[in-house]
Amino acid sequence: QARRRTRNRLLGFVIGSAVLVTCITARLVDTQVTGRSGYQAYGAERRNGYRVLPAGRGAIYDRSGQAFALSVARPNVVADPTAVHHPVGTARKLAPVLHADVDELAEKLRQKDTHYQVLAPLVSDRVAAKVKELDLEGISFEDQYVRQNPSDGLARAVVGSAYADGTVGADGEKGRTGVERAYERQLEGTPGRLTFEKDRWGNTIADTAAKLEPAKPGTDLYLTLDQSLQYATEDVLADQVAATGAEQGMAIIMRPSTGEVLAMASVAPDEDGKVSGTGDNRPVSTVFEPGSVNKMITVAGAMEEGLVDPDTPITVPYQLLVGDHWFSDHDPHGTATWSPTDILVTSSNIGTIKIAQMLGKEKVDGYLRAFGLGSSSKAFPGEVNGFMTPLDQWSATEIGAVPIGQGIAVTALQMLGAYNVIANDGVYVAPRLIAATDSGDGKEQAAASKRHRVVSPETATALRRILAKVVTDGTGKRAAVPGYVPFGKTGTARIPQPPPHADPKDAYQDAEGRYHYESSFVGGVDGADLSIIVTIQDAKTSIFGGDVSAPVFAHLASLTLRHEQIPPPALLDASAAAVPELSASARELGDGDPGPSGRSTQG
């Protein structure tokens, strides 16, 4: 029996040894063969340490290199708690410099399970210098980029904003609004990486090679905006909104030949009544019914189609029934024989409608779209399409309303773009905001704007001559610029009131029976490659664009001409596109400023 027990024990020992050897062999096979790559990766992960190097965000400049937005490196005070041997003593020395609580600092410095603790983010250079003087073991600095706006908020609606401390929003982007958000992919940099070897406790192993992948800053953007003109535009516009008690104002300055926007501003009173720039870029993000400034497109289309010339006689009554609506001119008059020149200078609703009827609804709609209405240029963040009723949904009254700027909605940029066609000898040039980019290899100019011909040079020249008479003899006298030949059109359009604020019987009246108005002047300066639009909403001093918007146009045009050093042009050759003098009856009405039409429902 003793021998049997010995034999069993020996057998058990052999079996156990065999199992143990099998397990060890299997483990070795797994370690050396089947699972080799996984263990290698694990070892490398434990051995290789790294540190992310932040990248600077691309800067945003104006056309001449003046900064709108910059990324500036600011130091964070950081600690490696494992290297701090006296947490309380170190905290007591740092606390008065960092203006921090001693106990909170000491608690962070006691965290021995980490090599990284931020003690104070984004400190000033003065504070950083004082910390360096303390020469404390385990205390160091790391740079973090922050966004700064040297121009103090100038053009903030266009430029937009970014998270100042380099963090990101809920959408994962650093840009919040405007160009900062729309061009996030270009502006954001690529972080770098410093890789090094560390021991089992996380300390860097001395005399081992470190691998550096440098951070790559983001792309710098150069806008077409000019800071001097932008400042002047915001300033002049704010003064006019304050002086007229208006709800808001918008203005754009452009170069018609290239589509470059030199200034773009929107201002409104805040809760305290102080007028300043709005945070949203309203010249491209909001729409309004253009009113009389839209009449130029109808006349241009009819002239291009050969239906009328500047002196073609047209019978113009005071009122006209279109569908089931009566339309009328602003000022009562007997039935007159007026030319298209008379009709534009006096801003006749009825004359414009009769020209539109000659042109037909298909071509009215076609020319409006060819001039740039109804679609976004996609050049500006937040830009909207505006509104135009599809042609197959036109009612019988649309041929009366649309040509005089009712029942459609445009942005200020779209309306100025339409007048740029006339300024640019009949060619539409798409607006642009980006002048150049720099990804580190030098400036690269942006591609030229797309363009297409809308009307002939002869039609455009004739329209400029007619619109120049609006300034010399018509409703836009206050847009005059001494020594130059400005041209343009005034407009006063009622603003539709949204429910429940609208009168149920009249969508343009509010619940108190009042009308609200968008008062505009849009045009250019002949021979100067300059165009400007100004719109003032709901001014209390006057509803007329000739009173409240034309003076701002004149001021901005004068400033821009001086800034761009454009001398007064030689006298234009009148024979190039002669337009008739105003008729006696049109001249009599030309001193007024026609407002919106007296449109009413029949019966």
Side-chain angles (χ1 to χ4, degrees), residues 177-196:
T177 59
V179 170
E180 292 276 23
R181 181 183 179 112
Y183 292 87
E184 173 70 22
R185 299 177 84 180
Q186 292 94 322
L187 288 167
E188 68 172 346
T190 303
R193 189 180 179 99
L194 178 63
T195 305
F196 51 87

PDB file of all heavy atoms in Angstrom, residues 177-196:
ATOM      1  N   THR A 177     -18.053  81.853 -35.626  1.00  0.00           N
ATOM      2  CA  THR A 177     -18.908  82.536 -36.596  1.00  0.00           C
ATOM      3  C   THR A 177     -18.044  83.103 -37.724  1.00  0.00           C
ATOM      4  O   THR A 177     -16.815  83.131 -37.635  1.00  0.00           O
ATOM      5  CB  THR A 177     -19.675  83.695 -35.935  1.00  0.00           C
ATOM      6  OG1 THR A 177     -18.732  84.636 -35.383  1.00  0.00           O
ATOM      7  CG2 THR A 177     -20.585  83.204 -34.823  1.00  0.00           C
ATOM      8  N   GLY A 178     -18.709  83.581 -38.774  1.00  0.00           N
ATOM      9  CA  GLY A 178     -18.037  84.314 -39.836  1.00  0.00           C
ATOM     10  C   GLY A 178     -16.939  83.531 -40.533  1.00  0.00           C
ATOM     11  O   GLY A 178     -16.992  82.308 -40.673  1.00  0.00           O
ATOM     12  N   VAL A 179     -15.926  84.275 -40.982  1.00  0.00           N
ATOM     13  CA  VAL A 179     -14.789  83.665 -41.675  1.00  0.00           C
ATOM     14  C   VAL A 179     -14.096  82.652 -40.769  1.00  0.00           C
ATOM     15  O   VAL A 179     -13.633  81.605 -41.235  1.00  0.00           O
ATOM     16  CB  VAL A 179     -13.795  84.758 -42.132  1.00  0.00           C
ATOM     17  CG1 VAL A 179     -12.491  84.153 -42.639  1.00  0.00           C
ATOM     18  CG2 VAL A 179     -14.423  85.623 -43.221  1.00  0.00           C
ATOM     19  N   GLU A 180     -14.023  82.928 -39.479  1.00  0.00           N
ATOM     20  CA  GLU A 180     -13.365  82.021 -38.542  1.00  0.00           C
ATOM     21  C   GLU A 180     -13.968  80.619 -38.610  1.00  0.00           C
ATOM     22  O   GLU A 180     -13.246  79.617 -38.517  1.00  0.00           O
ATOM     23  CB  GLU A 180     -13.479  82.563 -37.109  1.00  0.00           C
ATOM     24  CG  GLU A 180     -12.689  83.824 -36.830  1.00  0.00           C
ATOM     25  CD  GLU A 180     -11.239  83.528 -36.480  1.00  0.00           C
ATOM     26  OE1 GLU A 180     -10.734  82.462 -36.863  1.00  0.00           O
ATOM     27  OE2 GLU A 180     -10.621  84.386 -35.827  1.00  0.00           O
ATOM     28  N   ARG A 181     -15.259  80.549 -38.788  1.00  0.00           N
ATOM     29  CA  ARG A 181     -15.923  79.233 -38.840  1.00  0.00           C
ATOM     30  C   ARG A 181     -15.951  78.680 -40.260  1.00  0.00           C
ATOM     31  O   ARG A 181     -15.669  77.494 -40.485  1.00  0.00           O
ATOM     32  CB  ARG A 181     -17.342  79.341 -38.296  1.00  0.00           C
ATOM     33  CG  ARG A 181     -18.077  78.011 -38.294  1.00  0.00           C
ATOM     34  CD  ARG A 181     -19.504  78.164 -37.826  1.00  0.00           C
ATOM     35  NE  ARG A 181     -20.183  76.872 -37.861  1.00  0.00           N
ATOM     36  CZ  ARG A 181     -20.592  76.200 -36.805  1.00  0.00           C
ATOM     37  NH1 ARG A 181     -20.359  76.669 -35.609  1.00  0.00           N
ATOM     38  NH2 ARG A 181     -21.227  75.059 -36.935  1.00  0.00           N
ATOM     39  N   ALA A 182     -16.281  79.540 -41.236  1.00  0.00           N
ATOM     40  CA  ALA A 182     -16.434  79.071 -42.610  1.00  0.00           C
ATOM     41  C   ALA A 182     -15.132  78.523 -43.180  1.00  0.00           C
ATOM     42  O   ALA A 182     -15.143  77.602 -43.995  1.00  0.00           O
ATOM     43  CB  ALA A 182     -16.957  80.206 -43.492  1.00  0.00           C
ATOM     44  N   TYR A 183     -14.005  79.082 -42.748  1.00  0.00           N
ATOM     45  CA  TYR A 183     -12.703  78.651 -43.268  1.00  0.00           C
ATOM     46  C   TYR A 183     -11.896  77.900 -42.201  1.00  0.00           C
ATOM     47  O   TYR A 183     -10.683  77.974 -42.167  1.00  0.00           O
ATOM     48  CB  TYR A 183     -11.920  79.862 -43.792  1.00  0.00           C
ATOM     49  CG  TYR A 183     -12.542  80.459 -45.036  1.00  0.00           C
ATOM     50  CD1 TYR A 183     -13.543  81.407 -44.945  1.00  0.00           C
ATOM     51  CD2 TYR A 183     -12.146  80.043 -46.293  1.00  0.00           C
ATOM     52  CE1 TYR A 183     -14.132  81.943 -46.087  1.00  0.00           C
ATOM     53  CE2 TYR A 183     -12.715  80.573 -47.438  1.00  0.00           C
ATOM     54  CZ  TYR A 183     -13.714  81.523 -47.325  1.00  0.00           C
ATOM     55  OH  TYR A 183     -14.296  82.050 -48.457  1.00  0.00           O
ATOM     56  N   GLU A 184     -12.602  77.160 -41.361  1.00  0.00           N
ATOM     57  CA  GLU A 184     -11.968  76.423 -40.270  1.00  0.00           C
ATOM     58  C   GLU A 184     -10.884  75.461 -40.781  1.00  0.00           C
ATOM     59  O   GLU A 184      -9.800  75.378 -40.215  1.00  0.00           O
ATOM     60  CB  GLU A 184     -13.039  75.633 -39.499  1.00  0.00           C
ATOM     61  CG  GLU A 184     -12.506  74.685 -38.445  1.00  0.00           C
ATOM     62  CD  GLU A 184     -11.912  75.406 -37.249  1.00  0.00           C
ATOM     63  OE1 GLU A 184     -12.264  76.579 -37.026  1.00  0.00           O
ATOM     64  OE2 GLU A 184     -11.073  74.806 -36.562  1.00  0.00           O
ATOM     65  N   ARG A 185     -11.159  74.761 -41.858  1.00  0.00           N
ATOM     66  CA  ARG A 185     -10.217  73.752 -42.339  1.00  0.00           C
ATOM     67  C   ARG A 185      -8.904  74.372 -42.806  1.00  0.00           C
ATOM     68  O   ARG A 185      -7.850  73.771 -42.685  1.00  0.00           O
ATOM     69  CB  ARG A 185     -10.854  72.949 -43.482  1.00  0.00           C
ATOM     70  CG  ARG A 185     -12.109  72.218 -43.060  1.00  0.00           C
ATOM     71  CD  ARG A 185     -12.763  71.485 -44.213  1.00  0.00           C
ATOM     72  NE  ARG A 185     -12.156  70.187 -44.432  1.00  0.00           N
ATOM     73  CZ  ARG A 185     -12.550  69.351 -45.382  1.00  0.00           C
ATOM     74  NH1 ARG A 185     -13.506  69.705 -46.212  1.00  0.00           N
ATOM     75  NH2 ARG A 185     -11.978  68.175 -45.519  1.00  0.00           N
ATOM     76  N   GLN A 186      -8.976  75.595 -43.357  1.00  0.00           N
ATOM     77  CA  GLN A 186      -7.748  76.266 -43.765  1.00  0.00           C
ATOM     78  C   GLN A 186      -7.041  76.906 -42.585  1.00  0.00           C
ATOM     79  O   GLN A 186      -5.806  76.888 -42.495  1.00  0.00           O
ATOM     80  CB  GLN A 186      -8.050  77.346 -44.819  1.00  0.00           C
ATOM     81  CG  GLN A 186      -8.521  76.788 -46.160  1.00  0.00           C
ATOM     82  CD  GLN A 186     -10.035  76.732 -46.260  1.00  0.00           C
ATOM     83  OE1 GLN A 186     -10.717  76.416 -45.290  1.00  0.00           O
ATOM     84  NE2 GLN A 186     -10.560  77.040 -47.436  1.00  0.00           N
ATOM     85  N   LEU A 187      -7.799  77.479 -41.666  1.00  0.00           N
ATOM     86  CA  LEU A 187      -7.209  78.242 -40.564  1.00  0.00           C
ATOM     87  C   LEU A 187      -6.582  77.347 -39.492  1.00  0.00           C
ATOM     88  O   LEU A 187      -5.574  77.715 -38.885  1.00  0.00           O
ATOM     89  CB  LEU A 187      -8.272  79.137 -39.922  1.00  0.00           C
ATOM     90  CG  LEU A 187      -8.731  80.342 -40.744  1.00  0.00           C
ATOM     91  CD1 LEU A 187      -9.993  80.949 -40.144  1.00  0.00           C
ATOM     92  CD2 LEU A 187      -7.628  81.397 -40.812  1.00  0.00           C
ATOM     93  N   GLU A 188      -7.191  76.189 -39.236  1.00  0.00           N
ATOM     94  CA  GLU A 188      -6.680  75.354 -38.156  1.00  0.00           C
ATOM     95  C   GLU A 188      -5.313  74.784 -38.534  1.00  0.00           C
ATOM     96  O   GLU A 188      -5.072  74.384 -39.668  1.00  0.00           O
ATOM     97  CB  GLU A 188      -7.650  74.228 -37.828  1.00  0.00           C
ATOM     98  CG  GLU A 188      -7.789  73.188 -38.916  1.00  0.00           C
ATOM     99  CD  GLU A 188      -8.620  72.001 -38.457  1.00  0.00           C
ATOM    100  OE1 GLU A 188      -8.844  71.883 -37.243  1.00  0.00           O
ATOM    101  OE2 GLU A 188      -9.024  71.200 -39.310  1.00  0.00           O
ATOM    102  N   GLY A 189      -4.405  74.770 -37.597  1.00  0.00           N
ATOM    103  CA  GLY A 189      -3.087  74.196 -37.833  1.00  0.00           C
ATOM    104  C   GLY A 189      -3.068  72.707 -37.528  1.00  0.00           C
ATOM    105  O   GLY A 189      -4.041  72.133 -37.037  1.00  0.00           O
ATOM    106  N   THR A 190      -1.936  72.075 -37.825  1.00  0.00           N
ATOM    107  CA  THR A 190      -1.742  70.653 -37.522  1.00  0.00           C
ATOM    108  C   THR A 190      -0.807  70.525 -36.327  1.00  0.00           C
ATOM    109  O   THR A 190       0.358  70.959 -36.410  1.00  0.00           O
ATOM    110  CB  THR A 190      -1.132  69.921 -38.724  1.00  0.00           C
ATOM    111  OG1 THR A 190      -1.970  70.099 -39.869  1.00  0.00           O
ATOM    112  CG2 THR A 190      -0.971  68.440 -38.427  1.00  0.00           C
ATOM    113  N   PRO A 191      -1.266  69.999 -35.191  1.00  0.00           N
ATOM    114  CA  PRO A 191      -0.403  69.899 -34.005  1.00  0.00           C
ATOM    115  C   PRO A 191       0.833  69.058 -34.288  1.00  0.00           C
ATOM    116  O   PRO A 191       0.805  68.115 -35.086  1.00  0.00           O
ATOM    117  CB  PRO A 191      -1.300  69.234 -32.955  1.00  0.00           C
ATOM    118  CG  PRO A 191      -2.700  69.479 -33.435  1.00  0.00           C
ATOM    119  CD  PRO A 191      -2.616  69.486 -34.927  1.00  0.00           C
ATOM    120  N   GLY A 192       1.937  69.393 -33.623  1.00  0.00           N
ATOM    121  CA  GLY A 192       3.160  68.605 -33.717  1.00  0.00           C
ATOM    122  C   GLY A 192       3.203  67.549 -32.630  1.00  0.00           C
ATOM    123  O   GLY A 192       2.290  67.417 -31.807  1.00  0.00           O
ATOM    124  N   ARG A 193       4.311  66.774 -32.600  1.00  0.00           N
ATOM    125  CA  ARG A 193       4.419  65.681 -31.627  1.00  0.00           C
ATOM    126  C   ARG A 193       5.891  65.461 -31.294  1.00  0.00           C
ATOM    127  O   ARG A 193       6.726  65.303 -32.186  1.00  0.00           O
ATOM    128  CB  ARG A 193       3.818  64.409 -32.224  1.00  0.00           C
ATOM    129  CG  ARG A 193       3.647  63.238 -31.264  1.00  0.00           C
ATOM    130  CD  ARG A 193       3.049  62.091 -32.037  1.00  0.00           C
ATOM    131  NE  ARG A 193       2.851  60.905 -31.233  1.00  0.00           N
ATOM    132  CZ  ARG A 193       1.688  60.543 -30.683  1.00  0.00           C
ATOM    133  NH1 ARG A 193       0.634  61.307 -30.849  1.00  0.00           N
ATOM    134  NH2 ARG A 193       1.590  59.437 -29.986  1.00  0.00           N
ATOM    135  N   LEU A 194       6.207  65.492 -30.018  1.00  0.00           N
ATOM    136  CA  LEU A 194       7.555  65.188 -29.536  1.00  0.00           C
ATOM    137  C   LEU A 194       7.513  63.815 -28.873  1.00  0.00           C
ATOM    138  O   LEU A 194       6.844  63.618 -27.859  1.00  0.00           O
ATOM    139  CB  LEU A 194       8.025  66.251 -28.536  1.00  0.00           C
ATOM    140  CG  LEU A 194       9.402  66.019 -27.917  1.00  0.00           C
ATOM    141  CD1 LEU A 194      10.488  66.053 -28.992  1.00  0.00           C
ATOM    142  CD2 LEU A 194       9.687  67.045 -26.831  1.00  0.00           C
ATOM    143  N   THR A 195       8.212  62.825 -29.478  1.00  0.00           N
ATOM    144  CA  THR A 195       8.217  61.453 -28.970  1.00  0.00           C
ATOM    145  C   THR A 195       9.553  61.164 -28.289  1.00  0.00           C
ATOM    146  O   THR A 195      10.617  61.514 -28.803  1.00  0.00           O
ATOM    147  CB  THR A 195       8.007  60.454 -30.121  1.00  0.00           C
ATOM    148  OG1 THR A 195       6.806  60.804 -30.822  1.00  0.00           O
ATOM    149  CG2 THR A 195       7.867  59.038 -29.594  1.00  0.00           C
ATOM    150  N   PHE A 196       9.516  60.494 -27.110  1.00  0.00           N
ATOM    151  CA  PHE A 196      10.726  60.193 -26.342  1.00  0.00           C
ATOM    152  C   PHE A 196      10.532  58.861 -25.614  1.00  0.00           C
ATOM    153  O   PHE A 196       9.409  58.351 -25.533  1.00  0.00           O
ATOM    154  CB  PHE A 196      11.024  61.307 -25.331  1.00  0.00           C
ATOM    155  CG  PHE A 196       9.845  61.668 -24.467  1.00  0.00           C
ATOM    156  CD1 PHE A 196       9.588  60.987 -23.280  1.00  0.00           C
ATOM    157  CD2 PHE A 196       8.968  62.687 -24.848  1.00  0.00           C
ATOM    158  CE1 PHE A 196       8.495  61.306 -22.497  1.00  0.00           C
ATOM    159  CE2 PHE A 196       7.880  63.008 -24.066  1.00  0.00           C
ATOM    160  CZ  PHE A 196       7.632  62.329 -22.880  1.00  0.00           C
TER     161      PHE A 196
END
